[in-house]
Amino acid sequence: MSPLTITSRDAATGPVLEITGDLDYESAPDLRKSLDSLTLTSGQLLVLDLAGLEFCDSSGITTLLAARNLATELGGDMALAAVPANTARILSIIGLDRVFTIHPDASTATTPRSAAG
């Protein structure tokens, strides 16, 4: 078991939370606390960078959904970046790959889209 570490940073598109370690029943409340203290304004994108995620159980998946719901309530959007293969497989099996916007990495997720595109 790897302890959960959450690092917050700002990008041009909005806040980025880098999630490292295990996102499970015991650590999911830590992510929820980070989300509750997050400043997200209308039109911004919340990116959860999962490059360092080692394990994610159903509590973790539920917390990812809660993050998406929070972003929507605040008038923003949410995306996942660098989703590990095992977590991507679970998201696909349960159909959440069609609910979440998924980017190959945080850099791609936080690149502002052009007004013309």
Side-chain angles (χ1 to χ4, degrees):
M1 302 289 291
S2 298
L4 184 71
T5 303
I6 302 164
T7 306
S8 179
R9 65 180 174 87
D10 289 320
T13 54
V16 177
L17 294 181
E18 297 172 1
I19 301 168
T20 305
D22 295 345
L23 182 55
D24 57 17
Y25 177 78
E26 289 190 12
S27 63
D30 296 335
L31 179 55
R32 286 186 184 262
K33 286 179 194 163
S34 292
L35 293 168
D36 289 341
S37 64
L38 196 64
T39 301
L40 182 73
T41 57
S42 181
Q44 284 190 314
L45 177 67
L46 167 62
V47 175
L48 300 185
D49 182 352
L50 306 181
L53 185 69
E54 295 178 22
F55 175 79
C56 185
D57 71 3
S58 60
S59 298
I61 300 289
T62 299
T63 305
L64 297 179
L65 283 168
R68 182 180 178 275
N69 291 342
L70 176 66
T72 302
E73 287 172 16
L74 296 173
D77 201 0
M78 192 202 88
L80 301 177
V83 180
N86 56 344
T87 303
R89 182 174 180 267
I90 292 167
L91 294 176
S92 176
I93 289 170
I94 59 179
L96 290 178
D97 59 333
R98 295 185 299 274
V99 172
F100 290 114
T101 300
I102 300 175
H103 295 278
D105 53 51
S107 177
T108 304
T110 58
T111 300
R113 297 180 194 137
S114 69

